[in-house]
Amino acid sequence: MLSHNKLISQKPVFKTKFFEVTEDKIELPNGEIHTHQNIYRAATSTVFPVTDSYEIYLIKQYRYLYGKYIYEAVSGYIEEGETPLSNAKKELEEEAGIIANSWKKLSKIYLAGSVIKGETHIFLAQNLRMVNPKRESDEQIEVQKMSLDQALNLILREDVVTASTIIGLLLLDKMRREGKI
């Protein structure tokens, strides 16, 4: 039978709006004390808008952290007072200029099993209407509509590299094959 570790202390090391780094001392089931440095990242929502003809919208933007343009699903950090769904709706309109009348939560995923603790809520958005986006000044975004198969091929070309986008596209592909979208 597995036993869990006991948190003895947690000391903040660095904190920003989007994440916090801590030094955690934990006691293992055998009594040993270990120190871990952990990152607690703010939760996010990720949205996959799908048209009536089963095309999806992804955004393309330059990510200086990786030094290249990548395709992603619309995503954003959940701010205080927001729910994952209200955040998803806000981000879809702001980044892509899309309003959806039908929403379905597909999954909640964790970013990793250790070191980084964070979660992403993945949504399907349907019955779409286009509006003017309300992007922030640092968001240079190109919205692109494509078939799900085209989007899946972007994964193989390493043009889609973010975990939440890959997972969401694979979930949509499974749902399509099962006739659920």
Side-chain angles (χ1 to χ4, degrees):
M1 176 171 164
L2 295 175
S3 300
H4 66 278
N5 302 331
K6 178 182 173 188
L7 180 64
I8 296 171
S9 67
Q10 186 173 68
K11 178 177 80 173
V13 175
F14 182 77
K15 186 173 183 171
T16 74
K17 178 180 177 180
F18 300 119
F19 68 91
E20 179 177 7
V21 180
T22 65
E23 184 175 275
D24 299 354
K25 290 202 183 300
I26 60 169
E27 181 179 345
L28 302 179
N30 66 5
E32 288 183 37
I33 306 296
H34 282 239
T35 301
H36 291 248
Q37 288 76 36
N38 294 312
I39 301 168
Y40 295 86
R41 189 186 123 182
T44 58
S45 291
T46 298
V47 185
F48 291 90
V50 176
T51 69
D52 293 338
S53 56
Y54 304 107
E55 293 175 301
I56 66 168
Y57 289 92
L58 294 178
I59 59 174
K60 181 180 180 181
Q61 60 185 324
Y62 184 79
R63 293 297 197 174
Y64 77 91
L65 195 57
Y66 298 106
K68 67 178 194 171
Y69 286 91
I70 60 175
Y71 289 86
E72 302 172 87
V74 169
S75 296
Y77 287 98
I78 300 170
E79 296 180 24
E80 191 172 327
E82 287 185 318
T83 65
L85 179 58
S86 68
N87 174 264
K89 289 178 179 183
K90 178 187 79 174
E91 292 295 335
L92 185 60
E93 182 177 354
E94 286 179 358
E95 290 185 2
I98 299 173
I99 293 176
N101 291 320
S102 177
W103 289 85
K104 180 178 182 179
K105 186 168 183 176
L106 299 180
S107 187
K108 176 175 81 171
I109 62 171
Y110 296 130
L111 299 177
S114 65
V115 182
I116 300 174
K117 182 177 182 181
E119 63 187 35
T120 298
H121 302 265
I122 300 176
F123 292 93
L124 168 65
Q126 294 178 293
N127 300 319
L128 310 175
R129 179 171 51 98
M130 303 304 289
V131 297
N132 287 324
K134 300 171 185 165
R135 298 182 185 126
E136 296 178 22
S137 62
D138 65 338
E139 292 178 319
Q140 301 298 313
I141 294 172
E142 183 179 309
V143 179
Q144 295 196 355
K145 181 168 66 170
M146 63 192 72
S147 71
L148 182 54
D149 288 331
Q150 288 171 312
L152 292 167
N153 284 330
L154 291 175
I155 297 171
L156 298 174
R157 288 189 357 213
E158 295 184 357
D159 288 328
V160 169
V161 292
T162 59
S164 61
T165 302
I166 292 170
I167 291 167
L169 290 172
L170 294 175
L171 282 169
L172 289 174
D173 185 45
K174 179 174 175 38
M175 291 174 71
R176 175 184 62 173
R177 286 185 278 112
E178 293 176 354
K180 295 180 179 175
I181 60 167

mmCIF file of all heavy atoms in Angstrom, residues 58-75:
data_model
loop_
_atom_site.group_PDB
_atom_site.id
_atom_site.type_symbol
_atom_site.label_atom_id
_atom_site.label_comp_id
_atom_site.label_asym_id
_atom_site.label_seq_id
_atom_site.Cartn_x
_atom_site.Cartn_y
_atom_site.Cartn_z
ATOM 1 N N LEU A 58 -7.249 27.870 -34.875
ATOM 2 C CA LEU A 58 -6.067 27.963 -34.032
ATOM 3 C C LEU A 58 -5.484 29.351 -34.222
ATOM 4 O O LEU A 58 -5.781 30.027 -35.204
ATOM 5 C CB LEU A 58 -5.019 26.909 -34.414
ATOM 6 C CG LEU A 58 -5.380 25.450 -34.175
ATOM 7 C CD1 LEU A 58 -4.240 24.545 -34.647
ATOM 8 C CD2 LEU A 58 -5.702 25.171 -32.717
ATOM 9 N N ILE A 59 -4.668 29.777 -33.293
ATOM 10 C CA ILE A 59 -3.977 31.047 -33.447
ATOM 11 C C ILE A 59 -2.496 30.762 -33.695
ATOM 12 O O ILE A 59 -1.950 29.765 -33.231
ATOM 13 C CB ILE A 59 -4.175 31.969 -32.231
ATOM 14 C CG1 ILE A 59 -3.674 31.332 -30.935
ATOM 15 C CG2 ILE A 59 -5.643 32.367 -32.113
ATOM 16 C CD1 ILE A 59 -3.723 32.273 -29.728
ATOM 17 N N LYS A 60 -1.888 31.653 -34.448
ATOM 18 C CA LYS A 60 -0.459 31.560 -34.736
ATOM 19 C C LYS A 60 0.182 32.828 -34.225
ATOM 20 O O LYS A 60 -0.292 33.930 -34.502
ATOM 21 C CB LYS A 60 -0.232 31.425 -36.246
ATOM 22 C CG LYS A 60 1.219 31.293 -36.647
ATOM 23 C CD LYS A 60 1.341 31.172 -38.161
ATOM 24 C CE LYS A 60 2.783 31.051 -38.570
ATOM 25 N NZ LYS A 60 2.911 30.958 -40.038
ATOM 26 N N GLN A 61 1.251 32.642 -33.448
ATOM 27 C CA GLN A 61 1.965 33.809 -32.950
ATOM 28 C C GLN A 61 3.426 33.463 -32.683
ATOM 29 O O GLN A 61 3.770 32.307 -32.469
ATOM 30 C CB GLN A 61 1.296 34.410 -31.726
ATOM 31 C CG GLN A 61 1.165 33.513 -30.527
ATOM 32 C CD GLN A 61 0.378 34.200 -29.413
ATOM 33 O OE1 GLN A 61 0.486 35.400 -29.196
ATOM 34 N NE2 GLN A 61 -0.415 33.438 -28.697
ATOM 35 N N TYR A 62 4.243 34.504 -32.723
ATOM 36 C CA TYR A 62 5.661 34.328 -32.441
ATOM 37 C C TYR A 62 5.842 34.229 -30.936
ATOM 38 O O TYR A 62 5.365 35.076 -30.177
ATOM 39 C CB TYR A 62 6.474 35.504 -32.995
ATOM 40 C CG TYR A 62 7.955 35.313 -32.803
ATOM 41 C CD1 TYR A 62 8.672 34.483 -33.661
ATOM 42 C CD2 TYR A 62 8.643 35.937 -31.772
ATOM 43 C CE1 TYR A 62 10.032 34.294 -33.486
ATOM 44 C CE2 TYR A 62 9.999 35.753 -31.591
ATOM 45 C CZ TYR A 62 10.692 34.926 -32.452
ATOM 46 O OH TYR A 62 12.031 34.738 -32.281
ATOM 47 N N ARG A 63 6.528 33.179 -30.507
ATOM 48 C CA ARG A 63 6.823 32.987 -29.086
ATOM 49 C C ARG A 63 8.321 33.148 -28.900
ATOM 50 O O ARG A 63 9.107 32.270 -29.266
ATOM 51 C CB ARG A 63 6.358 31.603 -28.621
ATOM 52 C CG ARG A 63 4.854 31.440 -28.631
ATOM 53 C CD ARG A 63 4.213 32.402 -27.663
ATOM 54 N NE ARG A 63 2.838 32.020 -27.351
ATOM 55 C CZ ARG A 63 2.111 32.629 -26.459
ATOM 56 N NH1 ARG A 63 2.603 33.648 -25.771
ATOM 57 N NH2 ARG A 63 0.875 32.254 -26.233
ATOM 58 N N TYR A 64 8.707 34.312 -28.383
ATOM 59 C CA TYR A 64 10.139 34.606 -28.249
ATOM 60 C C TYR A 64 10.848 33.602 -27.348
ATOM 61 O O TYR A 64 12.033 33.329 -27.516
ATOM 62 C CB TYR A 64 10.357 36.040 -27.753
ATOM 63 C CG TYR A 64 10.112 36.230 -26.276
ATOM 64 C CD1 TYR A 64 11.140 36.091 -25.360
ATOM 65 C CD2 TYR A 64 8.839 36.518 -25.792
ATOM 66 C CE1 TYR A 64 10.909 36.248 -24.005
ATOM 67 C CE2 TYR A 64 8.610 36.675 -24.442
ATOM 68 C CZ TYR A 64 9.644 36.535 -23.561
ATOM 69 O OH TYR A 64 9.415 36.674 -22.223
ATOM 70 N N LEU A 65 10.132 33.024 -26.390
ATOM 71 C CA LEU A 65 10.735 32.043 -25.494
ATOM 72 C C LEU A 65 11.276 30.841 -26.275
ATOM 73 O O LEU A 65 12.285 30.252 -25.902
ATOM 74 C CB LEU A 65 9.689 31.587 -24.469
ATOM 75 C CG LEU A 65 10.165 30.840 -23.240
ATOM 76 C CD1 LEU A 65 11.183 31.641 -22.446
ATOM 77 C CD2 LEU A 65 8.980 30.483 -22.360
ATOM 78 N N TYR A 66 10.608 30.503 -27.374
ATOM 79 C CA TYR A 66 11.028 29.376 -28.210
ATOM 80 C C TYR A 66 11.715 29.829 -29.501
ATOM 81 O O TYR A 66 12.233 29.011 -30.242
ATOM 82 C CB TYR A 66 9.824 28.491 -28.542
ATOM 83 C CG TYR A 66 9.209 27.903 -27.296
ATOM 84 C CD1 TYR A 66 8.005 28.387 -26.805
ATOM 85 C CD2 TYR A 66 9.843 26.898 -26.583
ATOM 86 C CE1 TYR A 66 7.449 27.868 -25.636
ATOM 87 C CE2 TYR A 66 9.297 26.380 -25.420
ATOM 88 C CZ TYR A 66 8.104 26.881 -24.955
ATOM 89 O OH TYR A 66 7.567 26.384 -23.813
ATOM 90 N N GLY A 67 11.644 31.108 -29.794
ATOM 91 C CA GLY A 67 12.306 31.645 -30.974
ATOM 92 C C GLY A 67 11.653 31.256 -32.280
ATOM 93 O O GLY A 67 12.328 31.167 -33.301
ATOM 94 N N LYS A 68 10.328 31.052 -32.277
ATOM 95 C CA LYS A 68 9.661 30.692 -33.525
ATOM 96 C C LYS A 68 8.151 30.936 -33.420
ATOM 97 O O LYS A 68 7.618 31.145 -32.330
ATOM 98 C CB LYS A 68 9.921 29.234 -33.896
ATOM 99 C CG LYS A 68 9.301 28.200 -32.967
ATOM 100 C CD LYS A 68 9.611 26.793 -33.486
ATOM 101 C CE LYS A 68 8.766 25.735 -32.816
ATOM 102 N NZ LYS A 68 8.930 24.442 -33.460
ATOM 103 N N TYR A 69 7.505 30.910 -34.592
ATOM 104 C CA TYR A 69 6.046 30.983 -34.646
ATOM 105 C C TYR A 69 5.494 29.604 -34.332
ATOM 106 O O TYR A 69 6.008 28.589 -34.827
ATOM 107 C CB TYR A 69 5.571 31.405 -36.042
ATOM 108 C CG TYR A 69 5.801 32.860 -36.326
ATOM 109 C CD1 TYR A 69 6.980 33.290 -36.931
ATOM 110 C CD2 TYR A 69 4.842 33.806 -35.987
ATOM 111 C CE1 TYR A 69 7.198 34.631 -37.184
ATOM 112 C CE2 TYR A 69 5.049 35.154 -36.242
ATOM 113 C CZ TYR A 69 6.226 35.552 -36.838
ATOM 114 O OH TYR A 69 6.447 36.883 -37.077
ATOM 115 N N ILE A 70 4.454 29.574 -33.520
ATOM 116 C CA ILE A 70 3.790 28.297 -33.239
ATOM 117 C C ILE A 70 2.281 28.498 -33.329
ATOM 118 O O ILE A 70 1.763 29.592 -33.157
ATOM 119 C CB ILE A 70 4.180 27.713 -31.865
ATOM 120 C CG1 ILE A 70 3.815 28.642 -30.709
ATOM 121 C CG2 ILE A 70 5.653 27.361 -31.820
ATOM 122 C CD1 ILE A 70 4.083 28.041 -29.332
ATOM 123 N N TYR A 71 1.615 27.402 -33.629
ATOM 124 C CA TYR A 71 0.154 27.366 -33.627
ATOM 125 C C TYR A 71 -0.291 26.887 -32.254
ATOM 126 O O TYR A 71 0.291 25.962 -31.700
ATOM 127 C CB TYR A 71 -0.369 26.396 -34.682
ATOM 128 C CG TYR A 71 -0.180 26.858 -36.090
ATOM 129 C CD1 TYR A 71 1.014 26.622 -36.769
ATOM 130 C CD2 TYR A 71 -1.201 27.522 -36.766
ATOM 131 C CE1 TYR A 71 1.184 27.032 -38.070
ATOM 132 C CE2 TYR A 71 -1.036 27.937 -38.069
ATOM 133 C CZ TYR A 71 0.155 27.693 -38.724
ATOM 134 O OH TYR A 71 0.330 28.107 -40.016
ATOM 135 N N GLU A 72 -1.343 27.525 -31.739
ATOM 136 C CA GLU A 72 -1.860 27.163 -30.426
ATOM 137 C C GLU A 72 -3.369 27.290 -30.434
ATOM 138 O O GLU A 72 -3.932 28.017 -31.248
ATOM 139 C CB GLU A 72 -1.341 28.121 -29.355
ATOM 140 C CG GLU A 72 0.146 28.221 -29.221
ATOM 141 C CD GLU A 72 0.530 29.332 -28.266
ATOM 142 O OE1 GLU A 72 0.589 29.062 -27.056
ATOM 143 O OE2 GLU A 72 0.752 30.464 -28.730
ATOM 144 N N ALA A 73 -3.988 26.654 -29.474
ATOM 145 C CA ALA A 73 -5.383 26.941 -29.179
ATOM 146 C C ALA A 73 -5.421 28.243 -28.391
ATOM 147 O O ALA A 73 -4.429 28.637 -27.772
ATOM 148 C CB ALA A 73 -5.994 25.805 -28.362
ATOM 149 N N VAL A 74 -6.541 28.914 -28.430
ATOM 150 C CA VAL A 74 -6.722 30.118 -27.610
ATOM 151 C C VAL A 74 -6.622 29.697 -26.146
ATOM 152 O O VAL A 74 -7.250 28.729 -25.729
ATOM 153 C CB VAL A 74 -8.093 30.762 -27.901
ATOM 154 C CG1 VAL A 74 -8.410 31.840 -26.884
ATOM 155 C CG2 VAL A 74 -8.127 31.309 -29.320
ATOM 156 N N SER A 75 -5.825 30.409 -25.382
ATOM 157 C CA SER A 75 -5.629 30.093 -23.968
ATOM 158 C C SER A 75 -5.419 31.362 -23.164
ATOM 159 O O SER A 75 -4.998 32.374 -23.716
ATOM 160 C CB SER A 75 -4.396 29.198 -23.773
ATOM 161 O OG SER A 75 -4.569 27.952 -24.382
#
